[in-house]
């Protein structure tokens, strides 16, 4: 996972201005590898459709990645014959590499791609890019898994597709419905910020792009599509699935460890609802309360289980101290990552030390409650001990949140980026040196 490029400043969402004469609004990329049979009918059909239905200037870019048949010659011939078509050649294979290279060099404000087999009904193309042109959304994807989609394909591919999306939802908490549909679009200004962070150069490229975009708080628009499976597809299902699972593991590990600086890219103030200040309500308070309550509930459950276990071998005070210590360390780590959005290892030791001070206050409250209970009765029931501890923990929880927010993580709130951060310009993506424009 690339970590050498810091997140840049995301542009404000706004309607695209009228393009200059001769500058296309939309650049549709068709990545191909040994597609001499399907390339010409695909390009001509797509061009005719756009000419009839698309109200803006457009371009079709054939991104040939290391074809060894007549695809390069066919690409150059089409580019010479049709003014809206250009050919791009890369000497190394990889759909993601082809898309990234062409998108990084395109001057069109909206970038899209589709598979050469045109399995997706082209009537979905204008609904796909319209939200990007209007400024409503940042990315758009075609979905074959929407309830209103009409899909014709075999049971094997259907099972693999749905299983893969379940894996994404379970492991990466993805909310988009279809990561693999070869029908996607992105605003160029968004692509310039995200592309340097995408590592994959193959089939996992667009999944990784979508996951990072979602984690950055970008809006992904989904379009139900009509889709007919290509029986002559050359995609190697097993190898592709294996590479995708490796990609899921890599991205998941980077997100979990905080090595990817994508918690939230800077947006111009006021464009993102999370940036808007409400009088009397500190920024990010509502979200932090939700996160803290979830972490607190899990920590309390962990604490009670640990206390019950330790209580089998020792007295109530020692069992309480041990259970509270273990759960407090876990609680501080979870709140650091999930509630207050702190990534990476910087300051982790200090945060844990401060968390132990907070733990000491909680220990004093709960231990004092146990001491008072034991003073009131010589041998209280275990259920009574648990009830008293729950009440004491609730009081300690309120105090813990206030201390964590005001003392341990005082600056980890959702607020506008500093001027220095907002002025950073994302470094341009290093283009593949083997890419050559053959137009």
């Amino acid at each position: 996972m690339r970590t050498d490029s810091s997140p840049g400043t995301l542009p404000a969402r706004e309607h695209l201005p009228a393009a200059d004469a001769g500058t296309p609004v939309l650049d549709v990329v068709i990545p191909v590898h040994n597609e001499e049979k399907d390339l010409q009918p695909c390009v001509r059909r797509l061009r005719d459709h756009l000419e009839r239905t698309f109200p803006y200037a457009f371009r079709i870019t054939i991104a040939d990645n290391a074809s060894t048949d007549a695809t390069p010659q066919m690409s150059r011939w089409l580019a010479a014959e049709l003014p809206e078509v250009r050919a791009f050649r890369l000497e190394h294979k990889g759909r993601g590499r082809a898309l990234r290279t062409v998108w990084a060099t395109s001057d069109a404000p909206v970038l899209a791609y589709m598979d050469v087999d045109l399995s997706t009904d082209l009537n979905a193309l204008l609904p796909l890019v319209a939200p990007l042109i209007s400024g409503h959304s940042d990315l758009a994807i075609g979905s074959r898994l929407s309830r209103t989609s009409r899909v014709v394909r075999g049971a094997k591919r259907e099972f693999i597709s749905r299983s893969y999306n379940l894996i994404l939802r379970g492991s990466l908490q993805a909310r988009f419905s279809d990561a693999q549909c070869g029908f996607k679009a992105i605003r160029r200004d968004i692509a310039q910020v995200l592309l340097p962070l995408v590592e994959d150069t193959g089939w996992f490229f667009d999944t990784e792009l979508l996951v990072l975009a979602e984690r950055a708080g970008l809006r992904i628009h989904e379009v139900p599509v009509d889709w007919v499976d290509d029986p002559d597809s050359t995609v190697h299902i097993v190898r592709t699935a294996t590479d995708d699972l490796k990609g899921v593991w890599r991205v998941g590990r980077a997100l979990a460890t905080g090595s990817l600086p994508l918690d939230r890219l800077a947006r111009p103030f006021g464009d993102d609802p999370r940036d808007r200040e409400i009088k009397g309500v500190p920024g990010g308070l509502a979200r932090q309360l939700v996160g803290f309550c979830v972490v607190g509930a899990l920590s309390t459950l962990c604490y009670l289980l640990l206390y019950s276990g330790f209580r089998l071998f020792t007295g109530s005070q020692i069992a309480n101290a041990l259970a509270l210590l273990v759960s407090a360390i876990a609680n501080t780590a979870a709140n650091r990552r999930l509630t207050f959005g702190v990534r990476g290892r910087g300051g982790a030791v200090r945060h844990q030390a401060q968390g132990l001070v907070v733990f000491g206050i909680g220990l004093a409250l709960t231990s004092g409650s146990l001491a008072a209970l034991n003073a009131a009765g010589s041998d209280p029931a275990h259920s009574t001990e648990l009830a008293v501890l729950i009440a004491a923990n609730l009081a300690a929880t309120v105090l813990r949140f206030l201390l964590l927010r005001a003392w341990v993580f005082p600056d980890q709130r959702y607020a506008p980026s500093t001027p220095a951060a907002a002025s950073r310009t994302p470094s341009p993506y290093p283009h593949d040196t083997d890419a050559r424009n053959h137009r």
Side-chain angles (χ1 to χ4, degrees):
M1 179 64 62
R2 288 189 174 90
T3 58
D4 54 336
S5 298
S6 299
T9 300
L10 290 170
R13 293 192 190 103
E14 57 185 6
H15 196 293
L16 293 176
D20 298 332
T23 301
V25 171
L26 173 67
D27 192 347
V28 183
V29 181
I30 304 176
V32 291
H33 176 75
N34 292 343
E35 297 287 356
E36 59 181 2
K37 176 182 176 182
D38 295 331
L39 181 58
Q40 182 177 180
C42 163
V43 171
R44 292 189 181 278
R45 180 182 163 196
L46 175 59
R47 175 188 174 275
D48 292 344
H49 176 82
L50 288 171
E51 194 172 49
R52 286 186 295 104
T53 63
F54 195 67
Y56 303 96
F58 64 88
R59 177 193 296 135
I60 299 172
T61 301
I62 305 169
D64 171 31
N65 52 109
S67 293
T68 55
D69 61 359
T71 298
Q73 294 83 356
M74 182 71 68
S75 301
R76 291 193 295 270
W77 179 67
L78 287 168
E81 180 184 354
L82 305 174
E84 303 87 357
V85 178
R86 71 166 178 166
F88 213 94
R89 167 74 177 181
L90 292 93
E91 298 300 337
H92 294 285
K93 187 178 178 181
R95 183 183 69 167
R97 177 182 286 108
L99 290 174
R100 191 175 61 201
T101 304
V102 174
W103 282 355
T105 59
S106 179
D107 58 350
V110 176
L111 311 169
Y113 94 89
M114 61 180 59
D115 293 333
V116 70
D117 56 19
L118 293 187
S119 295
T120 304
D121 183 7
L122 291 178
N123 287 326
L125 183 54
L126 184 55
L128 183 80
V129 301
L132 309 188
I133 295 174
S134 70
H136 175 271
S137 301
D138 302 295
L139 299 89
I141 64 173
S143 175
R144 300 162 297 183
L145 303 182
S146 171
R147 291 183 178 180
T148 56
S149 298
R150 293 181 293 183
V151 177
V152 178
R153 62 175 167 179
K156 181 179 179 181
R157 285 182 177 270
E158 181 77 10
F159 174 78
I160 292 175
S161 180
R162 291 188 179 274
S163 298
Y164 179 62
N165 282 281
L166 285 175
I167 291 173
L168 291 180
R169 287 176 178 269
S171 60
L172 300 179
Q173 288 78 53
R175 296 189 299 273
F176 48 84
S177 66
D178 191 351
Q180 294 177 311
C181 183
F183 194 70
K184 296 181 175 70
I186 185 173
R187 288 174 63 110
R188 183 183 51 143
D189 47 15
I190 298 297
Q192 290 174 339
V193 179
L194 287 184
L195 288 180
L197 300 174
V198 179
E199 181 175 332
D200 192 80
T201 59
W203 291 96
F204 187 69
F205 168 84
D206 36 357
T207 298
E208 184 172 356
L209 181 68
L210 288 173
V211 170
L212 300 187
E214 193 171 74
R215 289 302 184 99
L218 299 176
R219 178 174 291 155
I220 301 175
H221 177 71
E222 295 199 17
V223 178
V225 297
D226 298 340
W227 195 86
V228 179
D229 191 14
D230 178 14
D232 299 324
S233 174
T234 58
V235 177
H236 194 288
I237 297 179
V238 176
R239 182 170 63 244
T240 301
T242 302
D243 292 341
D244 285 346
L245 292 177
K246 291 179 180 178
V248 170
W249 168 256
R250 173 175 53 80
V251 172
R253 182 177 57 184
L255 292 172
T257 59
S259 61
L260 188 67
L262 238 178
D263 174 47
R264 183 167 177 272
L265 299 180
R267 268 225 189 259
F269 177 72
D271 184 65
D272 194 314
R274 293 171 298 181
D275 286 333
R276 298 173 187 167
E277 292 183 347
I278 301 176
K279 188 175 181 180
V281 179
L285 177 60
R287 183 197 177 281
Q288 289 178 356
L289 279 172
V290 172
F292 182 80
C293 288
V294 172
V295 172
L298 295 176
S299 297
T300 300
L301 178 60
C302 175
Y303 162 77
L304 293 175
L305 293 175
L306 289 171
Y307 176 80
S308 298
F310 292 140
R311 191 66 176 85
L312 298 175
F313 308 102
T314 186
S316 61
Q317 292 288 3
I318 296 178
N320 173 62
L322 291 175
L324 199 58
L325 176 62
V326 174
S327 60
I329 293 174
N331 180 278
T332 300
N335 275 312
R336 181 178 187 270
R337 173 67 173 81
L338 301 176
T339 303
F340 298 99
V342 181
R343 303 297 203 272
R345 299 177 181 178
V349 175
R350 175 174 58 84
H351 293 153
Q352 281 292 351
Q354 292 172 309
L356 288 177
V357 175
V358 178
F359 150 76
I361 297 174
L363 177 62
L365 284 173
T366 53
S367 297
S369 300
L370 283 175
L373 179 63
N374 290 325
S378 58
D379 189 18
H382 182 63
S383 58
T384 304
E385 285 184 349
L386 290 180
V388 170
L389 287 174
I390 290 174
N393 265 286
L394 288 176
T397 296
V398 175
L399 182 60
R400 185 183 304 123
F401 177 75
L402 296 176
L403 288 173
L404 287 177
R405 181 178 172 86
W407 180 47
V408 183
F409 309 106
D411 298 320
Q412 305 302 324
R413 305 175 187 177
Y414 285 116
S417 301
T418 62
S423 65
R424 285 197 302 264
T425 300
S427 59
Y429 189 80
H431 303 158
D432 287 315
T433 56
D434 59 356
R436 297 195 298 271
N437 192 334
H438 283 269
R439 176 125 190 257

